[in-house]
Amino acid sequence: MSATIMRNGRVIDPANKRDEVIDLAIVDGRIADLSAIRNPQSAIDEIDASNLIVAPGLIDMHVHLREPGFSHKETIESGARAAAAGGFTTIVCMPNTSPVADTPSTIAWIKDRAAKMACVNVLPTSAISKNLGGEELAPVGSLAQAGVVAITDDGHCIQNHELMRRAIEYARMVGLPVLDHCQDYSLVGNGIVHEGYWSTLLGLPGWPAAGEEAIVMRNILLAELCDHHVHCQHVSSAGSVRLIREARARGIKISGEVCPHHIALTDEEIQNFDTNYKMNPPLRSQQDVDALLDGIGDGTLSILASDHAPHAGFEKEVEFDAAPFGIVGLETELGLFLDLLVHKHRKIDIVRLIEMYTVEPARLLKLGAGTLSIGAEADITLIDPEMQWTVDVAKFQSGSRNSPFDGWKLKGRAVRTIVGGKTVWKV
Amino acid sequence: MDREMTNMRWTRKDLLGLRELSAEEINFILETADAFKEVGTREIKKVPALRGKTLVNFFVEPSTRTRTSFELAALRLSADVINISATASSLTKGETLKDTAKNLEALHADILVLRHSSAGAPQFLASRLKSSVINAGDGAHEHPTQALLDLYTIREKRGKIAGLHVVIVGDILFSRVARSNIFGLTKLGARVTLVGPSTLVPREFEKLGVTVSHKIDDVLPDADVVNLLRIQHERQRKEYFPGIDEYIRLFGLTKERAKFLKPDCLIMHPGPINRGVEIDSEIADGAQSVILDQVTNGLAVRMAVLYLCGGIATT
């Protein structure tokens, strides 16, 4: 028997409505009753969690690990290390790899690779359409059997509403949620930055908020029609928040997630053409940021995620319109959300923040993770909500450095990440 | 005419756009151009200001007149000039813009004149090179020397810029000429009205301190300068307006409309002109047209810019 006792931490376990300073026992990689170690047969490890928050291991359900195909950007191993360093014990990886994760064999490869190389739990998603082409349904039933936790064409968006409708109906049959990157291609065209003051001033092609909202609306209508859950990824606009709020009030199975950059930054940042401010959907206006904050505050937007999108330096160091979209996020997201949502704007308390990173994604993806219940896998994140620290991209565990937050001073971070009872990261 | 030389020192190695320049800096360029304009009237049209310096015309998007103007300006300043165009350059072989530019710098190019289809490409290179970078047009962002020659021509013909009403007509949304003109004119105190179809002149432009109108007949009688931009319908603009005929009907500077202009109103065009589209042929050649003066002044303005920025760069 291997046993550990974590002493004097503030245990926040939203799944069990628990928030108290108490010891936590881990026996053989699982959360155990304290009585199990009262009369130990062998030595017990001790972790001092005084002044720290003991949370269920955090889940980031929107991560690009780039393997197979783009290991110069990130590998499953380096991406998992970045996750651990950011306080995440479970990450959900997107299918836009090469080959695209749209067959059971590719899913099997990812799972095998993760089992061998990753220090955190890696859960794959598969594409909705074959080769992310938006034309033919991928073998979703076989992919469900292969162990994907959701289907998504992330980075792309199925434009054919009939195909999307059938995909949602089919996913319902096999019990998988549908995640969607909401982008209407005809409205967005070659847009790369938020359409508004700064796109007008800089002459950069505009990506209008309506291009997201049109697909959010489509997804609401189809979620209602098919009576199945559709989750809108990286929601960025005030209009999307309003649509999702109204639909949820009517009981429709729709949800939305927020990425830290969409509340930390506005489109004003693009004025020096720094490609670390180029992401999809783009940074939007202050009005959109305010609406996202309100949406988080009132529960309309229920999930926090990074959209961790690593790219090599040489790929980002090009003309603004030629650069790929996206930034790395795993190692900064918890700090940014703690700093902005809990400390600065006071939109939610830390209990809700932990819930949005654990209970909410676990419920959507039907995972056993995200709780400190007796018998659960001992996936635990220790958080110091008051620690002041400075982001230093040179110290990232990720294979890439494309972050606009280098040098930011943040309050709050994960200080220890435990997966299956084993410490995989410690500050 | 107030031609008193501003008492300032030029400190920029690059000319990237007019948005970042102060009114004082813009005036300083215009005043420097005065001296170079005089050079063009001499028997020997050449001065040794940039002797021994190397200028690269790096055009990653086709252009004849801007490239020619820069080349002639550099030759008159006694610089050595080479021209590189997109098809000839290694960019087509997959080399990045940064690597190509670094290679040019390794050959001791002092001044890089860049024309590029991507907004921000000159900023990208300027922050990575010791050479001077002169923006010769980047995407729909800025075309500073075109706006400077427009300002120079207005100032030359009207004696001032402050207080004048300048009307810019056409495809504003996709126009780098329009943006640089808006920044330059408003900094120097002109009143600017943008005219064109609502799809090509969105209201958002009013946040830049200008007026937006979709009725040219309301605006023309009050104009001191009308600057007509080239209108394109053939490429990627089909969703923006129904066609050339309707454009002419709603926004073309026809002979009939020209009658409502004030007698001293200047008619400008950055070229190349579509005769019979944005402007009637006779109006383009008429007494109020200063279109060819713009071309001549472009040379003096570009000499001034190369002289000022080229003197700062240290390679």
Side-chain angles (χ1 to χ4, degrees):
Chain A
M1 181 179 100
S2 87
T4 305
I5 184 151
M6 198 171 287
R7 292 207 186 276
N8 295 320
R10 177 182 167 196
V11 174
I12 298 179
D13 181 16
N16 294 305
K17 306 222 178 313
R18 197 147 67 118
D19 179 2
E20 57 187 328
V21 175
I22 191 171
D23 295 347
L24 190 76
I26 303 166
V27 175
D28 292 337
R30 292 183 179 274
I31 307 293
D33 194 278
L34 281 169
S35 64
I37 51 170
R38 208 152 279 154
N39 300 302
Q41 315 283 308
S42 52
I44 297 178
D45 290 334
E46 285 206 28
I47 295 173
D48 179 13
S50 309
N51 303 314
L52 298 178
I53 285 166
V54 179
L58 306 183
I59 301 164
D60 184 342
M61 62 171 283
H62 193 153
V63 169
H64 297 268
L65 293 181
R66 304 300 190 205
E67 231 185 351
F70 305 106
S71 53
H72 66 289
K73 299 171 193 267
E74 191 82 280
T75 61
I76 289 171
E77 182 190 16
S78 64
R81 256 190 289 118
F88 294 87
T89 59
T90 298
I91 51 179
V92 176
C93 59
M94 296 296 113
N96 58 339
T97 48
S98 179
V100 168
D102 62 357
T103 61
S105 62
T106 304
I107 298 301
W109 186 90
I110 292 170
K111 291 182 72 164
D112 181 56
R113 189 88 179 152
K116 287 185 182 127
M117 310 299 287
C119 63
V120 302
N121 306 303
V122 173
L123 306 177
T125 58
S126 83
I128 303 172
S129 68
K130 281 183 188 164
N131 203 32
L132 298 168
E135 288 177 353
E136 284 178 85
L137 205 56
V140 173
S142 312
L143 288 158
Q145 290 173 354
V148 304
V149 296
I151 57 172
T152 173
D153 268 9
D154 182 46
H156 300 256
C157 177
I158 291 174
Q159 301 295 293
N160 180 327
H161 304 326
E162 163 69 2
L163 177 64
M164 190 64 175
R165 176 205 169 157
R166 299 307 172 197
I168 297 167
E169 284 178 348
Y170 203 87
R172 183 185 178 200
M173 172 184 78
V174 296
L176 290 177
V178 179
L179 323 178
D180 198 24
H181 166 120
C182 304
Q183 176 176 354
D184 183 301
Y185 289 178
S186 62
L187 279 171
V188 174
N190 63 348
I192 51 175
V193 300
H194 175 58
E195 183 178 307
Y197 174 79
W198 287 102
S199 70
T200 304
L201 185 85
L202 299 170
L204 285 168
W207 195 135
E212 174 175 296
E213 291 149 11
I215 297 295
V216 168
M217 190 69 240
R218 182 270 308 260
N219 289 343
I220 290 167
L221 296 172
L222 294 182
E224 186 170 21
L225 178 66
C226 307
D227 189 28
H228 186 55
H229 200 108
V230 181
H231 172 73
C232 299
Q233 299 176 292
H234 44 48
V235 170
S236 71
S237 90
S240 298
V241 178
R242 180 172 48 77
L243 289 166
I244 294 169
R245 181 181 291 125
E246 289 166 2
R248 282 168 75 95
R250 288 198 294 119
I252 292 167
K253 295 171 181 165
I254 191 94
S255 55
E257 80 191 13
V258 189
C259 300
H261 43 274
H262 286 131
I263 62 160
L265 305 167
T266 66
D267 60 343
E268 186 177 354
E269 305 289 347
I270 62 179
Q271 61 180 303
N272 295 321
F273 300 98
D274 182 340
T275 58
N276 279 335
Y277 297 100
K278 180 179 175 182
M279 50 283 277
N280 189 12
L283 300 176
R284 297 205 183 273
S285 69
Q286 187 60 49
Q287 196 192 340
D288 295 300
V289 170
D290 294 342
L292 292 175
L293 290 171
D294 289 345
I296 292 167
D298 71 10
T300 298
L301 301 170
S302 50
I303 288 173
L304 304 173
S306 64
D307 192 9
H308 178 78
H311 291 293
F314 73 89
E315 294 171 313
K316 274 289 204 182
E317 205 178 355
V318 294
E319 301 90 310
F320 196 86
D321 57 1
F325 291 104
I327 58 169
V328 290
L330 278 166
E331 292 168 80
T332 47
E333 60 178 306
L334 180 60
L336 284 162
F337 278 134
L338 279 168
D339 192 278
L340 294 168
L341 295 177
V342 178
H343 294 306
K344 187 177 171 202
H345 300 299
R346 298 172 183 275
K347 287 291 173 184
I348 51 173
D349 61 15
I350 195 159
V351 176
R352 176 59 184 161
L353 183 139
I354 290 167
E355 189 174 43
M356 292 175 78
Y357 264 134
T358 55
V359 176
E360 295 279 4
R363 184 190 300 142
L364 173 63
L365 303 172
K366 303 189 186 79
L367 309 178
T371 170
L372 296 174
S373 302
I374 305 293
E377 286 277 340
D379 293 350
I380 302 166
T381 303
L382 292 189
I383 298 168
D384 182 342
E386 304 297 324
M387 184 190 271
Q388 309 269 356
W389 63 291
T390 304
V391 178
D392 180 358
V393 296
K395 296 195 176 129
F396 278 0
Q397 298 298 305
S398 167
S400 289
R401 302 279 176 270
N402 51 311
S403 169
F405 299 114
D406 192 31
W408 277 45
K409 290 181 170 38
L410 300 175
K411 189 174 172 188
R413 65 168 297 160
V415 293
R416 189 173 188 132
T417 308
I418 297 168
V419 177
K422 197 174 140 221
T423 295
V424 294
W425 176 260
K426 194 167 163 276
V427 166
Chain B
M1 208 186 303
D2 181 15
R3 285 283 174 91
E4 199 179 310
M5 198 76 172
T6 317
N7 185 24
M8 71 163 284
R9 248 181 61 126
W10 186 260
T11 55
R12 294 176 187 272
K13 82 172 174 72
D14 310 300
L15 177 69
L16 305 177
L18 294 198
R19 186 166 78 93
E20 63 186 14
L21 297 191
S22 65
E24 193 187 22
E25 286 173 306
I26 293 172
N27 280 321
F28 188 65
I29 297 172
L30 300 181
E31 284 157 16
T32 307
D34 283 336
F36 286 115
K37 180 149 189 190
E38 187 268 324
V39 171
T41 64
R42 293 182 198 165
E43 180 88 25
I44 307 289
K45 298 183 176 60
K46 206 158 175 166
V47 292
L50 293 183
R51 192 166 60 194
K53 299 248 183 193
T54 303
L55 177 141
V56 178
N57 260 329
F58 186 29
F59 277 58
V60 189
E61 190 186 66
S63 152
T64 309
R65 65 182 56 216
T66 303
R67 185 182 56 73
T68 308
S69 181
F70 268 109
E71 183 171 2
L72 203 49
L75 292 172
R76 287 193 175 172
L77 293 168
S78 306
D80 299 316
V81 180
I82 53 169
N83 292 305
I84 299 174
S85 63
T87 45
S89 84
S90 13
L91 288 177
T92 48
K93 296 178 197 158
E95 190 176 50
T96 64
L97 177 65
K98 182 191 161 197
D99 284 338
T100 305
K102 282 278 188 193
N103 275 277
L104 293 171
E105 190 172 63
L107 294 170
H108 304 296
D110 301 285
I111 305 172
L112 201 62
V113 177
L114 179 70
R115 161 68 63 93
H116 200 290
S117 58
S118 299
Q123 276 78 0
F124 174 78
L125 286 189
S127 62
R128 287 167 175 80
L129 298 179
K130 291 192 285 293
S131 314
S132 260
V133 176
I134 309 296
N135 182 3
D138 61 326
H141 181 219
E142 286 229 43
H143 192 351
T145 58
Q146 176 67 44
L148 286 166
L149 74 88
D150 292 341
L151 293 169
Y152 188 92
T153 306
I154 296 169
R155 170 176 163 277
E156 179 184 65
K157 300 291 175 188
R158 297 298 301 260
K160 62 171 185 179
I161 288 169
L164 294 182
H165 181 207
V166 179
V167 177
I168 307 174
V169 187
D171 176 355
I172 309 293
L173 183 61
F174 294 97
S175 173
R176 51 190 169 218
V177 175
R179 283 182 181 76
S180 287
N181 262 285
I182 291 167
F183 301 137
L185 287 164
T186 52
K187 278 175 203 282
L188 297 190
R191 188 156 62 86
V192 179
T193 302
L194 309 177
V195 178
S198 49
T199 45
L200 294 175
V201 192
R203 288 273 163 198
E204 196 74 22
F205 273 96
E206 297 203 321
K207 292 184 187 159
L208 306 187
V210 300
T211 305
V212 167
S213 170
H214 309 301
K215 291 182 179 168
I216 193 168
D217 295 321
D218 293 355
V219 175
L220 287 183
D222 184 43
D224 297 307
V225 177
V226 178
N227 197 349
L228 300 149
L229 303 181
R230 182 178 163 82
I231 201 82
Q232 296 184 64
H233 188 248
E234 60 276 22
R235 287 183 302 145
Q236 82 201 15
R237 300 283 194 277
K238 288 201 160 55
E239 287 136 8
Y240 288 85
F241 63 102
I244 293 296
D245 287 350
E246 180 159 312
Y247 183 84
I248 295 170
R249 189 186 307 275
L250 266 54
F251 301 105
L253 186 58
T254 57
K255 274 180 286 184
E256 293 70 33
R257 285 205 173 102
K259 288 177 192 153
F260 296 103
L261 291 173
K262 292 197 263 189
D264 58 352
C265 177
L266 305 177
I267 295 172
M268 305 177 74
H269 194 300
I273 305 173
N274 291 312
R275 288 180 184 269
V277 180
E278 62 267 1
I279 185 167
D280 254 18
S281 190
E282 284 171 49
I283 306 297
D285 299 330
Q288 287 174 268
S289 165
V290 294
I291 295 172
L292 292 175
D293 298 272
Q294 290 174 266
V295 177
T296 307
N297 290 337
L299 204 51
V301 162
R302 290 187 174 111
M303 286 172 80
V305 167
L306 296 179
Y307 168 74
L308 291 173
C309 294
I312 298 293
T314 47
T315 53

